[in-house]
Amino acid sequence: MELRQLRLFMEVAKQKSITKAAENMHLSQPALSKSIIALEEELGMTLIIRTNKTSDLTDTGKVVLEYAQKMNALQDEMKTTLNDMTNLTRGQINIGLPPFIGSLFFPRVMAKFHHAYPNIELNITEYGGARVVKSVEEGEFELGVAVLPLDEQQFDIYPIVEEEMKLLVYKNHRLASRKEVEIEDLTDEEFIFYHDEFALNQMMRDHFIAAGFEPKILFKSSQWDLMSEMVAANLGITILPQSICNRVFTKDIKIIDLRPAIMWRLAVLTKKDRYLSIAGKTFIDFILKEPL
């Protein structure tokens, strides 16, 4: 069994398609299929269910994927440790960012970081917050950014942002003239909500349930601009962080304070007990000093 075989298998699992995985890995489809078959023969188990449209993992395939991810993370950690020990001037950081957060805060910060440290390469992947957390735990990312609270027993946490969530309603909505709205007043409203993989989804659900109701969700989106445009079209209401509200430029939307206030707290996270590269430490130090 070779690590390259496991990387190819991981890519197939990620893409759920041998064809797409082969394209991403710059291999012919027969060559990739041959590698996966060889891995299956060596293990004596079927790892992938092949159909015309997709390539799904078997139960044994899921177990192999879990170990392949750990082995790949260990190899990356070994390379990083050796690079740091040899005092290389170059570095590389794999970062997981939720789309909301990435578009709001990071373009300017990353531009400044690149100017300050031009030889450190930032590899950024956008996932929903919950998936970012899981990917840091599994070793896919050296560090990520996610919404607090997080498990402090599993992760080292570096808070970077704290701001209020705001209610957005159409200009003629029954609540539009109010300066403040109690969460309980939203019981009968239809919401434009965040996709399930977003940490904001569960965070806001928890607040609604604590207030005694389950939100009526009309649409789900991963794009804050689309969510605000839906509000402007009088399709429903939504709740977004202050930083996003500051980018909503339309007279068709009223932005209202929520009571009690709901705070949106962001933090950089790294997995506890995992080696953190010099490049990673440098980035964390930089972002903690740089106002977002």
Side-chain angles (χ1 to χ4, degrees), residues 15-18 48-57:
Q15 300 298 331
K16 293 188 176 182
S17 166
I18 290 178
I48 296 174
I49 303 168
R50 298 160 176 84
T51 66
N52 290 332
K53 293 185 177 180
T54 187
S55 299
D56 293 318
L57 298 185

Side-chain angles (χ1 to χ4, degrees), residues 235-269:
L235 291 174
I237 67 170
T238 194
I239 296 174
L240 293 171
Q242 178 68 64
S243 293
I244 293 177
C245 294
N246 293 343
R247 298 187 177 200
V248 175
F249 304 107
T250 172
K251 296 179 180 179
D252 292 330
I253 290 177
K254 296 295 181 180
I255 299 171
I256 305 169
D257 291 342
L258 284 169
R259 292 294 176 263
I262 299 174
M263 302 307 297
W264 190 53
R265 298 180 176 92
L266 304 181
V268 176
L269 69 150

Side-chain angles (χ1 to χ4, degrees), residues 100 221-231 240 244 247-248 253:
F100 269 27
S221 175
S222 61
Q223 304 295 324
W224 65 264
D225 51 348
L226 177 59
M227 295 172 74
S228 60
E229 285 168 11
M230 286 182 174
V231 174
L240 293 171
I244 293 177
R247 298 187 177 200
V248 175
I253 290 177

Side-chain angles (χ1 to χ4, degrees), residues 141-171:
F141 303 136
E142 182 175 11
L143 57 88
V145 178
V147 177
L148 294 174
L150 295 165
D151 185 351
E152 295 187 19
Q153 302 221 335
Q154 276 194 302
F155 303 105
D156 289 318
I157 296 166
Y158 308 89
I160 54 173
V161 171
E162 178 174 291
E163 61 185 45
E164 286 190 29
M165 300 291 291
K166 303 288 184 178
L167 174 67
L168 284 74
V169 303
Y170 182 62
K171 63 181 179 181

Side-chain angles (χ1 to χ4, degrees), residues 76 78-92 117-121 275 277-280 282:
D76 288 344
M78 178 188 70
K79 288 179 179 178
T80 301
T81 304
L82 293 173
N83 284 343
D84 284 350
M85 288 177 66
T86 53
N87 227 1
L88 293 180
T89 57
R90 295 184 177 273
Q92 178 176 295
Y117 303 97
N119 291 325
I120 296 180
E121 180 182 348
Y275 176 80
S277 69
I278 291 176
T282 302

